[in-house]
Amino acid sequence: MHEIGPNSRNSWRADATRVDLRRPQRPARPVTVEAQPQILTLDLASTAIVVIDMQNDFCSPDGWLASIGVDVSPARTPLPVLQRLLPALRAADVPVVWLNWGNRPDRANLPPGVLHVYDQDGTGGGLGSQLHTGARVLERDSASAEITAPLFAAPGDLHIAKYRMSGFQDTELDSVLRNLRADTLLFAGVNADQCVLATLMDAASLGYDVLMLEDAVATTSPAYCMDATVYNVRQCFGFTLTAADLQEAV
């Protein structure tokens, strides 16, 4: 029989006369890790990591935020953590999903409210504006949306462009995760109190288990924003843990 499906995790088997609707049964791979507010046991066989906005415009000294005077050094603190963690997760067959902000060049799906956040007086400098590098701010398939070095995607990683604080709005993120048969989502990236939190909240509302990796997220916002984010994730949506503890458990 032949496989029909988007990947080996979610597929039928079929030949000319029969179709077998049973999905492949993946052996459970439980790991137990220190977390807050409680110790967690999670199944790596149904887990994926979503890495949010670790891209040049947010994290690079030559990117957009740096060009408008934002100190991006806090946004770079997850880099060494993810350099260590992602290879370990890939080796454990945990899918890596890169969720980077990447607008359409014509910005046709962006309402005024999204554009206003970064261009409050309408004179430019926001989404789609041209940088000194020649790239346009947060534009898909440009240097602005590329994963920032020294991070890089590996073969088999998945890439999804987003256009809002939440990566679920107007994107295929939910469909991709369902096809991966991922119930538990690890969250990493920037900004913890903005795009990471918005995506995590939507994931929780959709029924995913949500785990934020405290040492693999960061923000250029004031420290109280991070404190509130950690509190709210633990109190209202899911759990926090460290990448270091997870990597040791894996």
Side-chain angles (χ1 to χ4, degrees):
M1 300 182 79
H2 303 285
E3 185 178 275
I4 299 176
N7 56 57
S8 61
R9 295 166 176 256
N10 186 23
S11 59
W12 299 344
R13 302 293 184 273
D15 59 23
T17 60
R18 294 180 300 165
V19 176
D20 186 344
L21 302 183
R22 293 174 295 174
R23 271 65 169 180
Q25 295 299 307
R26 296 170 55 79
R29 289 180 290 129
V31 295
T32 299
V33 61
E34 291 288 335
Q36 294 291 337
Q38 295 151 290
I39 296 170
L40 284 180
T41 298
L42 59 141
D43 184 2
L44 295 178
S46 58
T47 297
I49 183 169
V50 182
V51 185
I52 299 173
D53 288 349
M54 295 302 297
Q55 62 193 88
N56 287 332
D57 263 3
F58 292 127
C59 302
S60 170
D62 294 322
W64 171 49
L65 287 190
S67 77
I68 59 175
V70 176
D71 177 11
V72 298
S73 55
R76 298 182 63 81
T77 58
L79 293 176
V81 178
L82 290 169
Q83 278 186 286
R84 294 186 295 270
L85 177 64
L86 294 181
L89 292 179
R90 292 186 187 108
D93 197 27
V94 173
V96 176
V97 179
W98 297 93
L99 181 65
N100 283 7
W101 197 303
N103 297 314
R104 293 167 50 106
D106 60 10
R107 304 186 302 173
N109 65 331
L110 298 182
V114 172
L115 296 169
H116 172 263
V117 173
Y118 304 105
D119 182 15
Q120 294 188 349
D121 58 4
T123 58
L127 303 183
S129 298
Q130 191 162 17
L131 296 169
H132 67 283
T133 59
R136 294 192 178 276
V137 172
L138 296 178
E139 187 170 291
R140 186 191 308 175
D141 299 325
S142 77
S144 297
E146 287 179 0
I147 298 167
T148 198
L151 296 179
F152 60 89
D157 289 359
L158 293 135
H159 301 265
I160 295 173
K162 69 179 181 68
Y163 335 96
R164 302 287 193 277
M165 292 291 181
S166 171
F168 284 98
Q169 178 62 40
D170 198 23
T171 76
E172 67 273 25
L173 178 58
D174 187 50
S175 298
V176 168
L177 294 171
R178 302 292 182 191
N179 275 326
L180 290 172
R181 305 186 73 76
D183 298 317
T184 300
L185 303 181
L186 306 166
F187 284 91
V190 295
N191 280 304
D193 55 319
Q194 298 171 16
C195 293
V196 175
L197 181 60
T199 307
L200 180 150
M201 290 170 63
D202 276 356
S205 295
L206 289 166
Y208 293 98
D209 313 324
V210 297
L211 286 62
M212 189 176 77
L213 300 169
E214 287 187 64
D215 51 347
V217 298
T219 184
T220 55
S221 303
Y224 62 78
C225 296
M226 176 64 86
D227 293 342
T229 299
V230 171
Y231 174 85
N232 282 323
V233 170
R234 293 174 181 174
Q235 180 71 21
C236 302
F237 304 111
F239 304 87
T240 68
L241 66 161
T242 68
D245 284 342
L246 176 63
Q247 187 171 345
E248 183 178 352
V250 170

